[in-house]
Amino acid sequence: MDTAVREAEGDFGPRDWAQHPPYLSPLYKSTVLRSPRKPLIPMKQCLSVRTGPVFGHDSVDALDNDLTKNGRVNGEPVGERMIVTGRVLDENGRPVPHTLLEIWQANACGRYVHRWDQHDAPLDPNFFGAGRCITDAEGRYRFTTIKPGAYPWGNHHNAWRPAHIHFSLFGPSFLTRLVTQMYFPGDPLLPLDPIYNGVPEGARELLVSRFSIDVTEPVWALGYEFDIVLRGRQATPMEG
Amino acid sequence: MSQTLKQTPSQTVGPYFAYAWTPELYGRRPLATNRLAARDMPGEHIRIEGIVHDGEGTPIRDCVVEIWQAGADGKHAPGAAGFGRCGTDDAGRYFFDTVKPGSHGDGHAPHIAVTVFARGMLSHAFTRLHFSDEAAANAEDPVLATVPDDRRDTLIAQRAETPGGVVYRFDIHLQGERETVFFDC
């Protein structure tokens, strides 16, 4: 693999644990045996983490940001067509340009293409559910896709995941790596979802996209906006 | 900082990331794989392999390990080994075919940055792989020095010469008595 490399001009700020979910969140049962329990050890940043992979436009195929087209076999995928767009910024409010986003999601019926997904809902032969995109110079990305459906899971009695899209981002270093999920405004399943609720109160709302009539395209697709904020540079220490 | 925004919270990858992250099985082109080193890449060619375990020692099959490393010359440069991604199999196993990284020349022992993602992990976990045959460099390494003595071996991949080549064994324990050291960085 011939990945370019970017080196940051200094340390990144810490992961803000007031924003991120703790490893142990017992209402989401899978965390019980998978959460590190010993305290994390603070690490001074060095070259191997200040740098990170940079994926060029050759990492992305022409249809990768259009999930309504990249899985087509013999027709349009079924469901509510939508555009998801937004900006990738850092904590300092600066755009994160030319960085890769990967997304994956269920189809309109709440079924993933994944070979383990046994949900009794139809697969859509014309929808694969995965895409990639690279942000432009202003940090903007844009996907065309189908609104995912809710689906049941085995966490607790009558457990249903709210409709969501998984987002994976790299940013400028190995430390800015983020995997998150985008949700939809007004979803009645949100207050019941232990994964969404794993995030500290007051921070959860950042995972909910905004419906936008300006992004919506007439006679074509509804528009949603979802901005993503990655770790920024370490603040300059105040002079004493 | 001029303007301060709040970090977007992390969420789990869930169980169904494979067709996006390791999509070869689904007939799609992967972004990155677990084979970082073409045959002609300079350096000692090695395999890194291990099993990811949960708190009861059960192997985890819905886990992804990502690595980021320098080339044999200690530089992060285009064409160097760089970035790798591997999903665990049904027995919780992962492996990378790569070259052994050189030292950055900044006092750190040769090492590889490692992140672990899984269903049940709301945030990914960050660790660092060191090499068992670098005892002298490891003894001087400023990061290993911050790790309690009795946990340091969770960060040391054990070298073995096998008929197929050099293998470094690096098991990851998300929890439990042998919990891998994870870092806040």
Side-chain angles (χ1 to χ4, degrees), chain A:
Chain A
M1 193 181 60
D2 195 10
T3 306
V5 182
R6 191 180 281 154
E7 188 181 349
E9 334 100 26
D11 281 2
F12 287 86
R15 269 202 267 192
D16 182 354
W17 289 103
Q19 291 294 108
H20 295 296
Y23 286 116
L24 179 62
S25 184
L27 291 176
Y28 173 23
K29 288 184 181 158
S30 300
T31 70
V32 174
L33 288 174
R34 295 182 169 197
S35 44
R37 298 294 174 89
K38 300 191 162 80
L40 299 181
I41 294 184
M43 188 210 272
K44 191 170 156 40
Q45 295 171 17
C46 71
L47 194 65
S48 59
V49 292
R50 276 202 305 268
T51 52
V54 179
F55 297 95
H57 287 277
D58 57 347
S59 304
V60 178
D61 293 329
L63 293 180
D64 273 350
N65 72 341
D66 189 343
L67 287 73
T68 67
K69 291 204 173 74
N70 72 20
R72 279 182 72 150
V73 174
N74 57 11
E76 288 282 332
V78 172
E80 197 175 292
R81 208 182 284 124
M82 64 178 196
I83 293 155
V84 179
T85 187
R87 293 179 81 198
V88 182
L89 304 164
D90 70 16
E91 285 170 283
N92 316 112
R94 293 183 293 204
V96 181
H98 314 305
T99 196
L100 185 89
L101 289 93
E102 300 167 282
I103 64 168
W104 65 100
Q105 63 168 93
N107 69 23
C109 301
R111 178 86 187 262
Y112 286 87
V113 167
H114 199 285
R115 62 192 172 113
W116 298 342
D117 188 352
Q118 299 298 310
H119 176 31
D120 183 17
L123 279 169
D124 183 341
N126 293 305
F127 190 73
F128 185 65
R132 294 177 195 143
C133 175
I134 291 181
T135 56
D136 67 15
E138 279 77 51
R140 190 165 292 282
Y141 72 89
R142 183 183 174 92
F143 290 102
T144 305
T145 187
I146 297 290
K147 187 174 183 191
Y151 59 85
W153 59 311
N155 190 68
H156 56 274
H157 175 67
N158 213 2
W160 292 77
R161 289 297 332 275
H164 63 276
I165 299 178
H166 296 267
F167 275 73
S168 161
L169 297 94
F170 283 84
S173 98
F174 206 60
L175 292 178
T176 50
R177 190 89 179 79
L178 178 73
V179 171
T180 189
Q181 296 179 23
M182 181 198 107
Y183 299 91
F184 293 88
D187 191 327
L189 292 168
L190 282 174
L192 306 173
D193 181 51
I195 293 181
Y196 175 74
N197 287 326
V199 171
E201 216 173 328
R204 291 168 201 160
E205 296 70 19
L206 296 178
L207 299 177
V208 181
S209 56
R210 295 184 306 277
F211 170 73
S212 165
I213 196 68
D214 297 325
V215 173
T216 297
E217 291 196 3
V219 207
W220 172 245
L222 295 174
Y224 289 87
E225 284 187 282
F226 181 57
D227 292 341
I228 299 163
V229 179
L230 304 179
R231 292 161 66 167
R233 304 273 185 256
Q234 191 80 266
T236 310
M238 297 295 281
E239 294 293 330

Side-chain angles (χ1 to χ4, degrees), chain B residues 122-136:
Chain B
L122 287 164
S123 293
H124 63 268
F126 188 84
T127 186
R128 176 158 144 149
L129 179 155
H130 284 260
F131 297 91
S132 63
D133 55 325
E134 297 284 350

